[in-house]
Structures are given as C-alpha cells and as structure tokens.
Amino acid sequence: MAAKRMRKNTSFSSHGRRSILRLEDTSKERLVKGARGKVLSFSKILKITRAAKKSGLTIVTTNGCFDILHIGHVHNLKAAKRHGDILIVGVNSDSSVRRYKSDSRPIMPGRERAGVVASLKPVDAVFIFDETTPNAWLAALKP
C-alpha cells in the first residue's frame, strides 16, 4: 500500500469530533475521506481525481452493476487496488442495469449496491453512472 504523501507544514484543527486537515495536506485520506461517505457525485469524483493527480497519486478505476455481490467481485476489487493509490468504482444505475442485463434486474436498488461496494476495504470512492459502458466517464477522469 502506498505511503501517505503529505507536505511538511500540514496544519490540523478539531471541529467537534472530527479532525480536519487543512490546505497543504495532499494525502489520499484528505482527498477522499474529506467527503461525507464514499458514495459521491461524479463532479466530486472529478475533483478528487484532479487533486490526486496533482499530488502524484495514482487513480485506478473499475465498474460494474454489483447486483449480486460475490467473492469474485471482492477479489477483483482487491487486485485493482494493488495497481494504485485510490480505487474509484463506478456502479451502473438501475436504468443502466435494466438496459444491460434485463427488465427483471437489478435486484437491489442502485444506492444500496453503491453503499455495499463502498463498504469494502479496498474501495476509496464510488459513484453511480447511467451509461451502459464506462467510456464517457473514463474519458473525463483519464485515470
């Protein structure tokens, strides 16, 4: 796992129960964990990837519908994480899964599928996308 990358003069302050890193922290923890939870909007994912790249961190992406999560998914996510510092997972929306799989799918709603994927240790951030392929968001993120 990659070591934290932090500039020397990082300042800390306490705000309630949370410790907040300010300005000069370029660690992946600040870039990703600064958001509430791991399921984020695509615009937030874009901001994280841009900041991470400027900090020299490597972004890794993968995607899927994750409708019936199984051990193969977990193995693939662990393997993907080994290729970089931040693993971002795109989860197909409900309408995308219906177009891609069948009208009887998905079994679980998109927010729940995204939440389950986000709860896995190797995953740093998750977003839901409407397209049937990842081509458009991959072109935008340029991981």
Side-chain angles (χ1 to χ4, degrees):
M1 191 168 277
K4 281 188 186 179
R5 292 182 177 107
M6 201 179 289
R7 294 184 191 155
K8 284 185 179 179
N9 295 322
T10 302
S11 61
F12 295 86
S13 70
S14 290
H15 210 118
R17 293 176 51 177
R18 295 178 109 177
S19 177
I20 301 170
L21 291 161
R22 294 202 179 164
L23 299 175
E24 297 179 5
D25 178 13
T26 58
S27 69
K28 111 177 163 172
E29 285 78 13
R30 182 199 158 284
L31 294 171
V32 176
K33 308 291 190 236
R36 292 185 186 183
K38 291 183 183 180
V39 180
L40 308 171
S41 66
F42 187 69
S43 62
K44 181 67 178 171
I45 294 289
L46 272 173
K47 289 177 186 175
I48 289 169
T49 57
R50 288 177 184 145
K53 286 184 208 175
K54 285 181 182 177
S55 299
L57 298 173
T58 303
I59 303 293
V60 179
T61 63
T62 191
N63 68 283
C65 67
F66 301 97
D67 197 19
I68 303 170
L69 192 68
H70 55 77
I71 195 67
H73 289 119
V74 176
H75 290 307
N76 286 337
L77 293 168
K78 284 181 180 178
K81 178 66 175 193
R82 287 192 292 267
H83 290 280
D85 301 306
I86 297 175
L87 175 59
I88 297 173
V89 180
V91 173
N92 290 80
S93 69
D94 293 346
S95 61
S96 172
V97 173
R98 277 191 288 282
R99 288 190 308 270
Y100 181 69
K101 300 265 185 185
S102 76
D103 287 339
S104 63
R105 300 286 292 276
I107 295 167
M108 291 182 6
R111 294 292 298 170
E112 290 180 23
R113 292 182 285 116
V116 169
V117 171
S119 73
L120 299 173
K121 187 176 180 179
V123 177
D124 294 301
V126 176
F127 70 99
I128 298 172
F129 68 100
D130 282 323
E131 299 80 20
T132 53
T133 68
N135 299 346
W137 61 261
L138 283 172
L141 290 182
K142 300 177 186 140

